[in-house]
Amino acid sequence: MAAQFGRRLRKGATTTAVAAVAVAALSASQAPGVAPTATGGDAQASGATPSTGSSATGNSPYYTDLPPLNSPNKPGAAAPLPAVGEAEAGIPATVLSAYKQAEQAVAASDPGCRLPWQLLAAIGKVESGQARGGRVDADGTTFSPILGPVLNGVGFADISDTDDGAYDGDRTHDRAVGPMQFIPSTWATWGQDANGDGRKDPNNIHDAALAAAKYLCAGSRDLSVKEDLDRAILSYNRSREYLRTVLSWFAYYQRGTHEVPDGSGVLPVESSGGGSTGTGTTPATATPPATPAAPATPTAPGTAPGVPSSPSVPGGSTGSPKPPPAKPGTGTPSPGPTPPAKPAPSTPPPSATVFGIENAGGGRPTATAGEDFAELPKVRAKSRSGQSVVGADLVFELVGDTDARFSGDRTRAVVRTGQGGVAAAPALKAGEKTGDFTIRVTVAGRALPRLDYTATVTPRQADTLVRTGDEELTASPSSEFDHAVEVKATFKGGMAAGVAVTATMVTTADDPAENTEGPYFKDPEGNPVRTLTELTTGADGVLVLPKIFSDDRSGTFLLRLTAEGGAVLTLELEVAAPPAPAG
C-alpha cells in the first residue's frame, strides 16, 4: 500500500472505503457525538433510512472531495487517521468566524443541541468549498451569488419556483443558494439575520451559518448522540454518500484547523453532480456545477449500495472501458447502448449578468398620509460593459418605521427590467405614519451595491378652516361657555380628513403667544390648559373642540386654531357678568 493517498479521492469503491476509514478514525478519536459504527465496509447511518421528503438543499449536488488520509507504515497499526494538512485544514477567516459565532449563538439559545462548529465547517466544505475559498466581502457576503443547478427534474429534483426568483433569479424552478446551499423554500423558514444588517441573505456566510446551525438542531436533536447527528446531516441532503463525506470532513476538522486569509482557501474539484467541476483555483460562478448527473446504473455484485461509479467511465467501472461484446458469429463488436445526450449548458438568467444598478429617474418619492405616491424611483440594470440588461429581477423593499405599502399590502416586491433595462417601483400608498423611510433596490439573488431612495410621508393638510355654527361664544365668569366650538377643514375644495389641528388661547391676533389668563380647556386631571395639540379632524373633515371654561376675568379673548397645511381661524370668546335684574 502506498504511504499516502492523494489529496482528492475519486468516487466508487475507493470512496466508500475511505469514508468508512474516516468514520472509524472519528470513533477512535472519541470525537463528540460519534459512536463506533457497525462492522462492515460501508459506514451507514444509524436509525431508519431517511424519507424522500424535503431537505435543506433539495438534494442538490455537492462536492465529494475527501480530506487527506495517512496510511499506517507498519503492520498491525491502527486505522488511518485524518491528518491536519496545511492547505486543506485552513478555513478562511471570515468563514471560520461565522461558524464559531453560530456555535455560540446556538449554545445560548439551544444548549441541548450541542452543535460543534466543525460540523458547520464540514457541511460548508461539501456544499460550497467554504464559500469558494472565502471569497466574501467585509460583511461576509459572497462577491457573486453561489447558485446550484436549476432543479428542473433533468438529472436533479424537480422543484418549482417558490420565491418568485428573489434569491435564485429563476421564476420557473428553484436553485440552491449561498455558501450553505439552501433552497429558497427552506430559507423562507430558516433564514437568519446573524450580522444585524436587517436582511436575511443566504449569500451572507454569517446569516447562512446560523440558519444551518438552527436547521441541524431542529426537532430537539442532541448532536452528541450518533443517531441525531446522522439524522441532522441526512436532513441536509438525503444521501448516504453525502453523510459519509460530511462525517469525513467533520472528523478531519476536529483534529485540527487553522485560519487562512479570505479568498485563499482550497477549492474542491469533484462534484456529485457530474465529476470534476473544472474550477481549478478560480471560483465557479455557480456551485455545485449545473451538469445533470448521469442516469443510475444497476449495482454490480459485490459493490456497496448507494455508491456512484466514476463519472469518467459510463456503466460504473473504475477501470478502462471494456469493448462491447461481439455479435454472435461475426467476431465484430456489437454496438452498445447509445449514451444519453448531455443537455446543453443552461444560459445564465439575466439577473446573473447584472454588474450594477443606477438611478434612471422618477423624482423624490413624496406623498400625503393615506395617499398614493405620485413620483417613484426608476432603476436601470447594467452589465459589466455598461449595456442595459433586460429581464433582470430587481427587488424593491421598504425599510424603516413606515406603514406605507406596495400594491397588494406588500413591503417587498420583485420587478423585472424592461426596455432599456429599466424597472420602476410598483404602486406605493402612504400610511398614517409621517416622516422619512427608505425604498431600497437590490438585484435578486446578487450581492451587488444597492440603491437607497429616501421617501417622505407628509401630514394631511388643510388650506381652509371655517366654523360650522354662528352662535355667539359667551360665558359668565367662572363658568363654562354655552356652545361647543365646531370647525370644518377643507383642502383644495374637498374635505380634509385626519388633519392635525392646534387650539391656543392667544393674547392678540397679531401676537399668537399663549394667554395665561381668561378662558381655558381642562386636561384629564381637570387642570386648566390653554393649548391643545393632538386634535384631528374626522372622516368628514369636522372637529369639535372640548368644552371651554372661563375664570373670574371678564372681557374679550381670542382662540386661535391652526391646521397642518397652514389654515388658520381666530374666534372671539366673550366673558361678561350677567346683567343685573331689572327694578
Side-chain angles (χ1 to χ4, degrees), residues 124-209:
K125 178 70 173 180
V126 168
E127 293 295 346
S128 69
Q130 311 297 18
R132 300 196 196 111
R135 289 186 56 80
V136 296
D137 62 21
D139 294 326
T141 302
T142 57
F143 291 122
S144 59
I146 299 177
L147 299 175
V150 177
L151 299 176
N152 58 6
V154 181
F156 308 119
D158 187 358
I159 303 179
S160 298
D161 174 61
T162 61
D163 66 331
D164 200 26
Y167 293 118
D168 55 16
D170 191 326
R171 287 182 165 182
T172 304
H173 292 90
D174 273 348
R175 305 173 72 174
V177 182
M180 303 304 280
Q181 288 288 278
F182 280 94
I183 56 174
S185 58
T186 307
W187 184 258
T189 301
W190 295 95
Q192 302 291 317
D193 178 17
N195 61 356
D197 65 354
R199 302 177 65 197
K200 297 178 181 179
D201 184 358
N203 281 297
N204 180 277
I205 185 58
H206 298 287
D207 293 358

Side-chain angles (χ1 to χ4, degrees), residues 65-117:
D65 295 34
L66 293 174
L69 296 175
N70 286 336
S71 180
N73 293 320
K74 57 183 179 180
L81 296 179
V84 180
E86 282 299 311
E88 288 286 12
I91 300 178
T94 299
V95 178
L96 180 60
S97 174
Y99 295 150
K100 291 182 176 180
Q101 288 173 6
E103 177 194 56
Q104 293 170 1
V106 169
S109 64
D110 187 6
C113 178
R114 297 178 177 86
L115 169 86
W117 65 260

Side-chain angles (χ1 to χ4, degrees), residues 210-555:
L210 183 57
K214 289 183 175 291
Y215 182 88
L216 292 166
C217 289
S220 302
R221 293 189 184 109
D222 179 352
L223 300 185
S224 67
V225 176
K226 177 70 167 68
E227 290 79 2
D228 280 0
L229 176 66
D230 289 350
R231 290 190 190 101
I233 297 171
L234 286 168
S235 75
Y236 218 89
N237 190 310
R238 298 183 181 279
S239 160
R240 300 288 178 173
E241 180 75 8
Y242 181 85
L243 172 68
R244 292 190 289 269
T245 305
V246 170
L247 285 175
S248 68
W249 282 107
F250 181 34
Y252 183 73
Y253 286 138
Q254 284 193 315
R255 292 188 59 83
T257 61
H258 59 276
E259 179 183 297
V260 298
D262 288 345
S264 64
V266 174
L267 293 170
V269 171
E270 298 298 326
S271 168
S272 67
S276 174
T277 66
T279 58
T281 57
T282 304
T285 300
T287 180
T291 306
T297 56
T299 302
T303 304
V307 180
S309 62
S310 171
S312 59
V313 182
S317 172
T318 56
S320 301
K322 293 181 180 180
K327 290 182 180 179
T330 65
T332 59
S334 60
T338 303
K342 274 190 176 180
S346 57
T347 302
S351 297
T353 67
V354 176
F355 182 70
I357 52 178
E358 63 186 9
N359 181 36
R364 172 160 180 161
T366 303
T368 302
E371 302 295 328
D372 292 331
F373 282 80
E375 295 284 343
L376 288 169
K378 296 178 181 178
V379 179
R380 175 177 174 259
K382 59 182 181 180
S383 65
R384 183 180 294 272
S385 63
Q387 299 298 310
S388 298
V389 179
V390 177
D393 289 332
L394 304 187
V395 180
F396 290 78
E397 186 175 8
L398 307 181
V399 180
D401 185 16
T402 181
D403 55 357
R405 293 292 183 268
F406 291 123
S407 57
D409 196 31
R410 296 172 297 168
T411 60
R412 186 176 182 274
V414 179
V415 181
R416 183 160 290 177
T417 57
Q419 185 175 3
V422 174
L428 178 63
K429 186 172 184 177
E432 295 303 320
K433 291 183 180 178
T434 59
D436 293 343
F437 65 95
T438 299
I439 302 176
R440 178 164 295 165
V441 189
T442 55
V443 181
R446 301 293 306 278
L448 297 173
R450 66 197 184 206
L451 283 180
D452 282 351
Y453 295 86
T454 299
T456 303
V457 177
T458 59
R460 297 171 186 264
Q461 299 182 352
D463 52 21
T464 305
L465 274 176
V466 296
R467 188 179 170 210
T468 59
D470 57 3
E471 304 90 351
E472 291 186 358
L473 300 174
T474 61
S476 300
S478 302
S479 66
E480 64 181 59
F481 282 77
D482 298 330
H483 301 285
V485 175
E486 180 179 292
V487 296
K488 184 174 184 179
T490 59
F491 183 68
K492 296 182 178 178
M495 71 177 84
V499 176
V501 178
T502 300
T504 306
M505 304 297 177
V506 297
T507 53
T508 66
D510 297 329
D511 181 7
E514 182 181 275
N515 194 345
T516 59
E517 299 177 344
Y520 60 90
F521 303 102
K522 287 183 179 180
D523 66 14
E525 287 75 34
N527 301 314
V529 292
R530 291 182 168 85
T531 298
L532 289 181
T533 58
E534 300 182 1
L535 301 173
T536 306
T537 61
D540 55 359
V542 173
L543 169 65
V544 179
L545 270 60
K547 285 185 178 181
I548 302 174
F549 301 86
S550 62
D551 60 12
D552 56 2
R553 293 168 179 78
S554 299

Side-chain angles (χ1 to χ4, degrees), residues 553-571:
R553 293 168 179 78
S554 299
T556 301
F557 300 89
L558 299 179
L559 169 62
R560 183 186 182 95
L561 302 174
T562 305
E564 191 73 45
V568 176
L569 174 65
T570 302
L571 303 174

